[in-house]
Amino acid sequence: MQKLFDEVGSLDKRCYEEFALSEDILMEHATNGMASYIRDNFSKFSSVIVVCGSGNNGADGIALARQLHGDFDVSIYYAKEAKSMMARLQEKRAKAIGVKECFEIQHCAVLVDAIVGTGFSGEFSDELKELITKLNDSLAFKISCDIPSYGFKADVTLTMGALKKSLYLDASKDAVGEIRVIDLGISRSIYEAQTNWNLLDEKDLELPTRDKKDSHKGSFGHLAIACGSKSGASILSASSALRFGVGLVTLVGYENEQIPYSIMHASELPSNTTALALGMGLGNEFSDKELDIFLDNSFSLIADADIFYMPIIDKILKRENVILTPHAKEFVALLKHTKLANISIEELQKNRFKFVELFTKNYPRITLILKGANSIIAQNNIFYINPHGTSALAKGGSGDVLSGLVGALLAQGYSALDSAINASLAHTLLAQNYKGADFSLTPEDLINGICDL
């Protein structure tokens, strides 16, 4: 697990004030880390073009070119005239040792984007947009300095000091490439401060365990899933849950002759139920009274899909140990229903962190999994991003499998937050482990892969 930050300016300031490190020293370490990456991955005298802006991101690029000069065929393309104090200083140093300047984007082995960094908040001119298009059209290996400039698509982003949340917006997924952190002369453990945002690593996954030998099927929980006429979704969730360690699964409600033999059916909640799942393929089969009866208990609950458009969501939001797993459209509907925000899906996607924080501030007892390219898991003021999702999961039924994974852990007694984190990680790992073409992954493939986690 790694820390995530809104900005690192305050972390840099602490280096100046507490550790007697100057801006110049931090920049030298940053660019040395970038230079080391290039030296490790490309042969000596390879051609490198560094495209630089006017501010400190451009200064990083100019300093990088100076450090590579002599060992690489490096040149600087000035997208903007150097203006910041550090950019002018680095330009002076680069010129002093003879780093050359180029005036068009030529063929090269490595192309470095150092146009704008995290401090940029304006609009790109048409001229800069045209330049970005040319850079993207290049066949060179593309590196972004700290964060990709607007529209630039990097093969790798070498980010300075610590990980930034903006690198993990859904919209950033196609732009950042591989992300690596460059140290700034001190360990990240010292540079980084406290934060409520974290990035999940695959090694954070903790699978269900069956350490107790003297046990039976009831020892591992009983998940009850509300089953409407669209029972395929409920069956996928039930099958997923059964594979993920829960001892018993019962579909409650609409009866379907296609239910697998390993899954039970009942017209009301079994007496030994330990967790509930509600929403997957629910449709309109349940009356408000039947839903009230289903929820007339204190069991842990996973709620998904249809439930976000139904009045019963108000009752769910008042419960303890609840996990909600909306995708973007469902979350927008939830925000509108709770009168927290009336926004479009596009606005949500640009401000996912903001609206997740808004929701959990108002509903601190709810655990949220906002699904997406980089799913966000949140509870109260603690937040996690799972960056391991793939486009293979963009398939009907994938979310139902996730709900089953979550429900299985809840039924086995895991806390809501631990259930959300581990189910989300398992879900993305299942997709990554799939050996077929990404477009061919089905929910059944995910379920069958659980045994190989």
Side-chain angles (χ1 to χ4, degrees), residues 41-93:
N41 290 279
F42 297 91
S43 58
K44 198 172 184 180
F45 303 122
S46 293
S47 55
V48 181
I49 295 178
V50 187
V51 184
C52 299
S54 59
N56 279 9
N57 195 257
D60 286 334
I62 300 167
L64 169 65
R66 168 174 51 81
Q67 293 194 20
L68 295 176
H69 181 66
D71 294 328
F72 289 82
D73 178 17
V74 62
S75 56
I76 300 172
Y77 179 97
Y78 286 97
K80 287 185 174 183
E81 178 184 353
K83 291 183 179 179
S84 75
M85 182 184 70
M86 288 303 301
R88 292 196 301 270
L89 175 60
Q90 296 296 359
E91 182 183 34
K92 180 180 179 180
R93 290 170 175 171

Side-chain angles (χ1 to χ4, degrees), residues 129 143 158 237 280 314 398 408:
K129 290 178 182 177
I143 299 173
L158 303 178
S237 294
M280 299 76 71
D314 291 323
S398 292

Side-chain angles (χ1 to χ4, degrees), residues 37 141-145 154-158 176-180:
Y37 177 88
F141 185 87
K142 300 176 184 67
I143 299 173
S144 272
C145 173
D155 294 299
V156 63
T157 295
L158 303 178
V176 296
E178 180 188 0
I179 299 171
R180 294 195 180 190

Side-chain angles (χ1 to χ4, degrees), residues 62-197:
I62 300 167
L64 169 65
R66 168 174 51 81
Q67 293 194 20
L68 295 176
H69 181 66
D71 294 328
F72 289 82
D73 178 17
V74 62
S75 56
I76 300 172
Y77 179 97
Y78 286 97
K80 287 185 174 183
E81 178 184 353
K83 291 183 179 179
S84 75
M85 182 184 70
M86 288 303 301
R88 292 196 301 270
L89 175 60
Q90 296 296 359
E91 182 183 34
K92 180 180 179 180
R93 290 170 175 171
K95 286 181 176 179
I97 67 166
V99 178
K100 63 184 178 181
E101 181 179 351
C102 66
F103 300 93
E104 61 181 25
I105 304 300
Q106 304 166 332
H107 172 76
C108 58
V110 182
L111 193 58
V112 180
D113 155 40
I115 302 174
V116 295
T118 54
F120 180 77
S121 59
E123 292 287 332
F124 260 38
S125 66
D126 290 341
E127 184 180 7
L128 280 178
K129 290 178 182 177
E130 184 179 344
L131 172 61
I132 292 293
T133 299
K134 289 181 180 178
L135 300 181
N136 286 336
D137 288 343
S138 171
L139 298 178
F141 185 87
K142 300 176 184 67
I143 299 173
S144 272
C145 173
D146 202 27
I147 65 168
S149 298
Y150 175 85
F152 185 79
K153 294 185 177 180
D155 294 299
V156 63
T157 295
L158 303 178
T159 197
M160 308 310 176
L163 291 171
K164 290 86 177 173
K165 284 163 56 180
S166 60
L167 294 171
Y168 296 96
L169 280 167
D170 278 12
S172 301
K173 192 113 178 176
D174 288 318
V176 296
E178 180 188 0
I179 299 171
R180 294 195 180 190
V181 178
I182 303 297
D183 289 345
L184 300 180
I186 56 174
S187 167
R188 282 175 67 186
S189 64
I190 299 173
Y191 177 79
E192 294 176 341
Q194 181 59 40
T195 175
N196 292 338
W197 282 83

Side-chain angles (χ1 to χ4, degrees), residues 211-223:
D211 296 331
K212 187 178 178 181
K213 295 180 180 179
D214 181 17
S215 60
H216 52 84
K217 58 191 176 185
S219 303
F220 303 104
H222 190 163
L223 178 65

